[in-house]
Amino acid sequence: MENSKILSYVGFATKMRKTVAGVNAIEHTKSKVELLMICKTASANTFKDAVKIAKKHSAKLVVSEVPIETIARKEHCKLLAILDKGLAEAILLNLSDRFYEYQGGVR
């Protein structure tokens, strides 16, 4: 499986307690957000909120074709923040065809 590295990195971040799941929780976190991962099936409002949060924290936004609910192991979750800089960089280096960086515009 190509995306197993990314899933492993997210799992490491979760074990280190360096992830925040959900739009409201991410908006209210006091920690620096290094990377945002959003589900491809997220609504337009969630995309708008994710772009706003990414600009606020100068973070990259990665769109995932794998459901974030599966990655984060949280039901109905469409947005996940990675707070660790090293793991965020590792995820960005290992992007595959199922994960891509959001460039803005029409999705």
Side-chain angles (χ1 to χ4, degrees):
M1 184 182 249
E2 300 169 358
N3 56 4
S4 63
K5 278 191 175 184
I6 293 175
L7 297 178
S8 295
Y9 292 141
V10 173
F12 293 150
T14 303
K15 280 251 190 215
M16 294 170 47
R17 300 180 62 93
K18 295 288 185 177
T19 58
V20 180
V23 175
N24 291 333
I26 295 169
E27 284 178 341
H28 292 99
T29 188
K30 296 188 186 317
S31 302
K32 169 90 168 90
V33 173
E34 297 293 338
L35 177 70
L36 285 170
M37 297 180 76
I38 190 165
C39 189
K40 184 179 179 180
T41 61
S43 69
N45 283 341
T46 305
F47 261 91
K48 186 177 75 172
D49 291 341
V51 169
K52 183 179 81 171
I53 294 168
K55 284 182 183 177
K56 176 183 171 187
H57 290 278
S58 301
K60 302 267 183 175
L61 181 61
V62 172
V63 179
S64 170
E65 292 182 5
V66 178
I68 296 296
E69 301 161 336
T70 305
I71 296 171
R73 295 184 182 103
K74 299 221 181 217
E75 204 170 310
H76 305 296
C77 180
K78 297 293 183 184
L79 187 64
L80 181 71
I82 307 292
L83 306 179
D84 185 73
K85 186 173 186 165
L87 288 173
E89 289 173 357
I91 290 169
L92 287 171
L93 287 175
N94 289 293
L95 292 179
S96 64
D97 58 339
R98 300 192 72 188
F99 298 91
Y100 55 91
E101 194 172 336
Y102 182 71
Q103 303 294 327
V106 179
R107 49 179 186 123

